[in-house]
Amino acid sequence: MKKLLAGLAALTLALAACGNGATEKPAESDPQDARAEVGHVEQLANGDLQEITASADVLPSFLDDKPEDMRMVYQVAGKATDVLEYMPCYCGCGDSAGHKSNMNCFLDEVREDGSVVWDDHGTRCLVCLEIAVKSVQMQQDGKSMKEIRDAIDAEYGNGDYAKPTNTPMPA
């Protein structure tokens, strides 16, 4: 994880700010639409791409040309939904993309069949990447969900970042 954090610092130069001023919510999709197909890529109204893979073990193709460190963050996020679903994101994606937590910066959902709907939002946002890495690292260090959430809120809720997603508190 330390290598990952160091790699994220290098990504700072490559990433643009998340908040692009867009306020559109993602389009509601019909469960019967073409998104049901593994490998299908859809562009949402806010510009984000979503792609379905068979499982969290299979990363989306939109990561193929991204740095290894970024692919690692996505890989970790796919396995850490139990943590990231309780961590808010402070990049403005709650308003601009309708996200509910930091998890949504990387994946929209894990379906009952195990397939994953990935979101490329995190590929353009250092805040999203940082929150995911810090949250998972704290979990690995033995911190409770509440301690992790309190630390994320303390670091990013100081007024220097955008309004957080409306994320439920962990039990």
Side-chain angles (χ1 to χ4, degrees):
M1 270 310 192
K2 289 181 183 179
K3 178 184 173 195
L4 188 57
L5 285 173
L8 284 177
L11 288 174
T12 304
L13 299 174
L15 296 174
C18 286
N20 60 5
T23 56
E24 291 181 78
K25 302 248 186 212
E28 294 295 320
S29 57
D30 183 336
Q32 302 298 319
D33 71 12
R35 284 183 59 229
E37 296 176 35
V38 170
H40 180 77
V41 178
E42 177 182 5
Q43 186 162 16
L44 303 179
N46 68 359
D48 287 356
L49 296 177
Q50 289 190 342
E51 181 177 340
I52 301 169
T53 65
S55 72
D57 294 325
V58 182
L59 292 176
S61 65
F62 61 71
L63 292 175
D64 290 351
D65 64 346
K66 302 299 184 224
E68 180 65 25
D69 289 340
M70 185 178 291
R71 290 193 301 271
M72 286 175 56
V73 175
Y74 266 81
Q75 187 174 31
V76 167
K79 306 278 188 203
T81 57
D82 59 328
V83 176
L84 300 183
E85 69 182 336
Y86 291 107
M87 298 306 133
C89 190
Y90 283 86
C91 78
C93 62
D95 290 334
S96 68
H99 290 176
K100 303 288 185 216
S101 69
N102 182 247
M103 180 187 84
N104 297 135
C105 300
F106 305 97
L107 57 140
D108 186 56
E109 69 176 306
V110 177
R111 295 179 171 173
E112 287 184 29
D113 67 359
S115 63
V116 175
V117 180
W118 297 95
D119 193 298
D120 82 330
H121 180 85
T123 67
R124 297 179 308 282
C125 186
L126 185 60
V127 172
C128 302
L129 294 165
E130 286 178 351
I131 290 171
V133 170
K134 289 175 182 183
S135 298
V136 172
Q137 188 170 37
M138 283 186 269
Q139 181 192 40
Q140 290 175 343
D141 290 343
K143 302 285 187 200
S144 72
M145 292 294 284
K146 177 129 176 44
E147 289 172 316
I148 299 168
R149 173 65 180 265
D150 288 347
I152 295 297
D153 285 339
E155 182 169 349
Y156 293 92
N158 60 13
D160 292 339
Y161 298 91
K163 182 178 120 186
T165 54
N166 186 15
T167 306
M169 290 295 287

